Amino acid sequence: MCALAGIVIVGRSGVANPSAAMGGNYETDAIAACIIGGASFTGGKGTVWGTLIGCLIIAVIRNGLTIMNAQSDVQFMVIGAVIIVAVFIDVRRTASEEKRRRLAAA
């Protein structure tokens, strides 16, 4: 997986830069892709296919912002807002499921 990640980074940057091994601020995109893909922020839920869809959504958002000439700071703020909305939806969904379980048990 590390070799594949290295190939992707070289493909994106066009240069084999040893400092790119530090992650290149891709952590935020990875977290956002997992959360958008349906992985629970509290753990225990999520699928590979959901994460793949989350990756595609993040890529579309990031590319759209790049096409609009948005600065990198604005891109991070938009991705952060997407994470916040996805976590909020996850928390609401989890609370709703728990409430249904309580009502069914009563």
Side-chain angles (χ1 to χ4, degrees):
M1 295 313 296
C2 290
L4 181 61
I7 292 169
V8 170
I9 289 174
V10 168
R12 285 187 72 152
S13 66
V15 168
N17 187 357
S19 66
M22 301 305 282
N25 295 325
Y26 295 122
E27 304 89 7
T28 307
D29 289 348
I31 293 169
C34 291
I35 298 298
I36 291 171
S40 177
F41 196 68
T42 57
K45 294 181 182 177
T47 64
V48 174
W49 295 111
T51 302
L52 180 64
I53 291 170
C55 288
L56 294 173
I57 291 170
I58 291 297
V60 167
I61 292 171
R62 179 84 61 189
N63 287 334
L65 290 171
T66 301
I67 290 171
M68 292 174 25
N69 291 327
Q71 295 178 354
S72 63
D73 296 339
V74 173
Q75 291 182 8
F76 279 117
M77 287 190 290
V78 170
I79 298 296
V82 169
I83 293 173
I84 290 171
V85 169
V87 168
F88 177 75
I89 291 170
D90 177 53
V91 167
R92 296 285 294 189
R93 182 184 61 200
T94 304
S96 173
E97 289 173 0
E98 189 173 316
K99 186 176 180 180
R100 273 189 243 139
R101 275 190 236 134
R102 285 183 191 163
L103 290 175

